[in-house]
Amino acid sequence: MKQVFAYELKKKMELEPSCYLLTADLGYGAFDEIAKSFPNNYINVGVAECGMVLIASGMALLGDCVFVYSIGNFHTLRCLEFIRNNICYHNLNVIIVSVGAGFSYGQLGYTHHAIEDLNCMHTLPRIKTFCPFDSKDLSFIFHEISKKRGPAYIRLPRTNHNISCTYTSNRSGLKIIDGSDSIVIIAYGPTTTLAIETRHLLLHHGIDSTVMTSIRIDNCVPKIVRQIPENAHVYVIEETVLNGSLASALSTQILKDGIRVKKFQPFTINQKKLSKVGDESFLRSIHGFCSKKIVKQILVNLSK
Amino acid sequence: MLNSENLKSLVKSSYSVRLMCLKLIKNAGSSHIGSCYSVIDILVVLYQFFIDKKDTLHKRSQRNHFILSKGHASAALYSTLCHFGFISKTSVFDFYKNNSIFSGHVSHYVPGIDLSTGSLGHGVGVSVGIALHQKLHGHNNRVFTCVSDGELNEGVVWESFMIAAHNNLGNLVVIVDYNKIQSMGRTEDTTSIEPIFLKFKSFNFNVSVVDGHSHTDLYKSLEKRYLNEKPVCIIANTVKGKGVKKFEDNLLWHYRCPDDLEYREAIRTLQK
C-alpha cells in the first residue's frame, strides 16, 4: 500500500511545488521515485518523529503542504501533544501518514501494533482521518485532502487488499453492500475484508447482511447511523481497542438518536492479550475477529 | 545600525516594557514575572532591529520570524508588542481575563504572534521548520527563537537542533535565556545542562555567549552573520527578575505575583 501511496503523492507533488514529504527514517524502497524526481521536497529527518512533526508544523505555518510518514505509533502516539498543540490547534496543512495499521506488523511485537492510534487521533480537533482499504480509496483520499486544506491522518494497511466486491452505493467514501435489513456489518480499512468474508459465510447459512464501510472515519458516524435500519443487529469490526473506537462512537450516537437496535456488538482488540505476537490473521483470530468466529457469534445472537 | 541614540532608546524601551509587564501581571494576578524580566532585553533588541511590524502583522512568509518557545513569558512578549505598536494598550490589559485572546501562555490569536507556545520544547522544532521553509524557498530571512534554560531538558529540542545543523540552517538563531533558575530550583541542581556552550558546539552550531542584558552585546550577536551555514546559538546570560532588585535571582518570582507594597516599590524603581 505504501507504493500506491507514493504513486499518488508523486502525482500531487507534480502539481504542487510546495508539497513535501518528511520521513522518520522509514519507507525503504517506497519513495525512491519521489526522492529522485523531487530531491528538495523529500527529507529524511532520521529517527526523530517528534522533531519531524514540529518541523512539518513550521513549514506548514508558512503555507507548505507537508506529509509526515512513519510506522503506526511512532509519529502518532509518541507525538500526540505535538500534533495537538501545533498541527491541530493551528489548523495546519500537515498530513500524517502511518503504515502498518492494526496488526500489519504483528510479528514484530506490541511496540509495532497500531491499535490505539486512530482512537487517539479522534480525540483531537480538526483532524480528518482516513483508513483506505484499497488503492482506489487512496485516490479518493488525495482528492479530499486537496479539496480542503488542514490536518489529516491517513492510516495505511501494510498490504493493498484487492478483494473484489460490488458496492450497491458509494457516496462520499461511504460504501454499502445492500443486503438484509436485519444484520449490518460495519468495518473500515483492513477489516473490510473480514466484513465481506463474514457476509459471504453468512450467505452460505442462508443469511443475508448489509456491509457498510467508510474511507473517512472522523465524520462517518452520523452518516452510518442514518443508514442503520430499526431493529437491526449491528456488528462493528475494528482492529483497534474499544475505548475511543468507531464502535463506541456509533453506540453513543445510536443511543443519542434513540434508534432501536436488537443487538450491538463490537469486535475490537482485547487488551488482555497484548503480549501475543504473530501474523495479522493469527492475531485477529486470537482477539476474536476472524470471519468464522464472527459468524459463529452472529448465529448465536440470532438464535436467542 | 546601533548608535548612542538607539542605545538610549533601547534602555528606555526595556524599562517601559518592564513597567507594562509588571502592570499586566499585577492586573491579572498571574505568575512568571521572573521569567519575563530575564527575557525583556532580548525582546526589545529583536523587535527594535530585527522584526518588521508590517510584515509580521500581515503574516508575510518572507520576513524574519520570532518564536517565543518559552511561552510562559507571555506578559513580556505582549508588553513588547504593545510597546512597538503591534497591539493596543487597552486590549493588552485583557491579559489572563475570561474570554481574552491574551492567554497566560503565548497565543497566536494575538496580532504579531505566529505560534501558540506553552508546552516547552515545541517552539524550537517549529522554528526549525520555518527556517527550513525559508531555505527551501530561497528566502534570505532568519528565524529567531528564544528558549529557556530549563527547556533544554526536553529531548525534542536536541532532535530539532540536530536536524537544523544537518540541514545547514544558518538562518536559524536560537537564543537561550540562561537565567539559571527553573521551576523547582537552580538548573545546576535540577538536571544540569552544562557544558552548554560545548553542547551546542558539538551539535554543529555557531555559538556565542553574551550578557543577556547588554543591548550592545545582544545586538552584535544577533546581527552577526557567519561565513558557514551552521545554525546560530546565542547563550544569553541573564538574571531572573532582572530590573527590580527584589525580584532578581530568586525562584519565588517564578510563581509569585507582587503584593501591593512590592508592586508600588517595583513601579518606583522602574520609573526612576
Side-chain angles (χ1 to χ4, degrees):
Chain A
M1 186 64 106
K2 61 184 178 189
Q3 274 78 13
V4 180
F5 164 75
Y7 170 75
E8 291 289 339
L9 180 57
K10 185 163 176 263
K11 278 194 320 190
K12 186 172 171 72
M13 280 172 151
E14 280 158 6
L15 296 170
E16 289 179 41
S18 291
C19 180
Y20 295 84
L21 171 65
L22 307 186
T23 176
D25 213 30
L26 287 169
Y28 182 73
F31 305 122
D32 295 348
E33 272 293 312
I34 286 178
K36 200 167 123 190
S37 307
F38 306 101
N40 291 333
N41 295 58
Y42 169 79
I43 300 159
N44 179 3
V45 302
V47 190
E49 296 84 1
C50 300
M52 176 174 72
V53 165
L54 289 175
I55 286 163
S57 303
M59 294 171 75
L61 207 54
L62 267 60
D64 293 332
C65 169
V66 189
F67 287 76
V68 294
Y69 176 93
S70 185
I71 283 178
N73 302 323
F74 302 153
H75 56 331
T76 52
L77 303 193
R78 188 191 202 107
C79 299
L80 203 63
E81 198 204 14
F82 302 114
I83 296 168
R84 174 190 187 270
N85 288 359
N86 300 289
I87 296 172
C88 292
Y89 189 50
H90 294 77
N91 201 25
L92 298 175
N93 200 22
V94 177
I95 295 94
I96 303 158
V97 183
S98 80
V99 71
F103 291 128
S104 299
Y105 290 108
Q107 296 97 325
L108 299 183
Y110 181 62
T111 52
H112 285 59
H113 298 172
I115 56 178
E116 300 101 349
D117 56 310
L118 187 65
N119 311 32
C120 289
M121 289 299 121
H122 285 146
T123 64
L124 301 179
R126 299 171 174 158
I127 186 161
K128 304 183 276 290
T129 60
F130 298 97
C131 293
F133 168 58
D134 57 25
S135 47
K136 283 197 288 278
D137 287 356
L138 269 174
S139 295
F140 170 82
I141 291 168
F142 270 81
H143 176 255
E144 288 293 293
I145 59 180
S146 297
K147 207 167 66 179
K148 192 173 179 203
R149 294 165 70 87
Y153 177 54
I154 304 175
R155 187 179 190 246
L156 302 176
R158 196 172 171 193
T159 48
N160 182 12
H161 295 270
N162 282 311
I163 190 169
S164 70
C165 63
T166 311
Y167 295 102
T168 320
S169 70
N170 183 353
R171 251 186 254 116
S172 303
L174 176 63
K175 297 185 270 186
I176 301 175
I177 303 172
D178 257 329
S180 149
D181 272 355
S182 54
I183 298 176
V184 177
I185 307 167
I186 300 162
Y188 56 84
T191 54
T192 307
T193 319
L194 277 178
I196 294 169
E197 282 172 2
T198 302
R199 182 171 184 271
H200 286 154
L201 280 178
L202 281 171
L203 282 171
H204 287 316
H205 289 272
I207 298 167
D208 198 2
S209 57
T210 292
V211 169
M212 293 187 199
T213 174
S214 185
I215 305 171
R216 184 169 164 183
I217 311 303
D218 64 293
N219 70 350
C220 74
V221 168
K223 292 179 195 172
I224 290 177
V225 167
R226 271 199 293 274
Q227 304 290 333
I228 293 176
E230 289 259 322
N231 299 315
H233 285 230
V234 181
Y235 299 94
V236 188
I237 311 171
E238 296 179 78
E239 213 160 305
T240 64
V241 301
L242 181 60
N243 286 335
S245 64
L246 177 63
S248 61
L250 280 170
S251 59
T252 305
Q253 190 74 43
I254 286 169
L255 272 172
K256 209 169 127 192
D257 291 353
I259 292 172
R260 269 190 307 210
V261 295
K262 268 208 175 121
K263 181 81 185 168
F264 185 95
Q265 181 157 355
F267 289 92
T268 53
I269 282 156
N270 183 343
Q271 286 183 293
K272 291 180 183 160
K273 297 183 180 180
L274 299 174
S275 62
K276 301 289 179 192
V277 296
D279 65 29
E280 206 169 49
S281 306
F282 170 75
L283 286 173
R284 284 176 180 176
S285 179
I286 289 281
H287 286 271
F289 49 93
C290 66
S291 45
K292 285 189 181 139
K293 288 188 181 178
I294 295 169
V295 166
K296 196 174 168 188
Q297 186 62 58
I298 292 174
L299 293 174
V300 165
N301 292 342
L302 285 173
S303 68
K304 286 183 186 165
Chain B
M1 184 67 191
L2 194 65
N3 53 38
S4 59
E5 199 147 316
N6 288 336
L7 272 171
K8 276 189 202 156
S9 161
L10 282 170
V11 170
K12 269 192 185 156
S13 295
S14 71
Y15 277 106
S16 181
V17 171
R18 280 186 167 83
L19 201 56
M20 166 76 75
C21 183
L22 174 66
K23 288 177 180 174
L24 282 189
I25 286 173
K26 180 64 179 166
N27 187 51
S30 65
S31 312
H32 298 131
I33 194 155
S35 308
C36 287
Y37 273 23
S38 64
V39 78
I40 280 171
D41 293 294
I42 295 166
L43 294 177
V44 296
V45 175
L46 273 167
Y47 278 86
Q48 177 76 40
F49 294 105
F50 299 97
I51 304 297
D52 185 279
K53 180 166 90 177
K54 201 171 161 194
D55 287 348
T56 302
L57 288 173
H58 286 113
K59 292 206 181 283
R60 286 193 71 211
S61 65
Q62 265 186 267
R63 59 176 158 104
N64 286 346
H65 284 76
F66 172 66
I67 302 290
L68 185 64
S69 193
K70 54 172 269 183
H72 52 284
S74 54
L77 184 56
Y78 296 153
S79 303
T80 306
L81 290 174
C82 184
H83 177 79
F84 286 99
F86 286 71
I87 51 183
S88 74
K89 273 196 176 115
T90 41
S91 67
V92 78
F93 276 90
D94 274 351
F95 173 62
Y96 231 74
K97 300 294 181 205
N98 289 339
N99 209 28
S100 168
I101 59 172
F102 294 93
S103 49
H105 285 78
V106 162
S107 169
H108 72 285
Y109 287 104
V110 172
I113 295 176
D114 293 304
L115 185 76
S116 289
T117 54
S119 183
L120 295 177
H122 291 222
V124 172
V126 175
S127 300
V128 173
I130 293 172
L132 186 60
H133 168 99
Q134 300 287 29
K135 182 167 181 174
L136 289 170
H137 288 256
H139 301 157
N140 188 26
N141 300 109
R142 291 199 288 163
V143 187
F144 301 92
T145 182
C146 184
V147 304
S148 68
D149 42 19
E151 193 169 0
L152 297 179
N153 294 156
E154 290 278 3
V156 71
V157 309
W158 299 100
E159 263 179 59
S160 306
F161 292 150
M162 272 198 283
I163 296 166
H166 179 81
N167 285 279
N168 294 316
L169 297 180
N171 55 347
L172 175 72
V173 181
V174 176
I175 308 143
V176 181
D177 176 3
Y178 196 16
N179 64 31
K180 319 290 186 307
I181 295 176
Q182 55 190 98
S183 292
M184 301 289 280
R186 304 199 78 82
T187 52
E188 67 203 355
D189 298 326
T190 310
T191 292
S192 177
I193 53 174
E194 286 292 350
I196 186 173
F197 179 92
L198 290 176
K199 278 190 169 79
F200 275 100
K201 206 89 183 130
S202 71
F203 272 67
N204 275 322
F205 273 63
N206 290 308
V207 196
S208 61
V209 182
V210 303
D211 173 356
H213 300 296
S214 159
H215 299 137
T216 309
D217 280 4
L218 284 166
Y219 175 82
K220 282 181 182 168
S221 60
L222 288 164
E223 173 67 325
K224 185 171 180 176
R225 303 285 194 144
Y226 292 85
L227 291 173
N228 58 43
E229 283 186 301
K230 295 181 193 179
V232 175
C233 173
I234 300 166
I235 299 166
N237 283 315
T238 57
V239 176
K240 201 169 186 96
K242 176 74 175 179
V244 174
K245 213 83 198 125
K246 194 179 177 93
F247 300 161
E248 287 183 6
D249 201 38
N250 188 336
L251 172 61
L252 189 68
W253 297 103
H254 186 81
Y255 299 101
R256 269 266 314 263
C257 180
D259 63 29
D260 291 347
L261 182 61
E262 287 158 344
Y263 175 68
R264 283 196 298 271
E265 279 174 5
I267 297 265
R268 266 198 300 270
T269 304
L270 292 170
Q271 278 176 341
K272 263 191 237 164

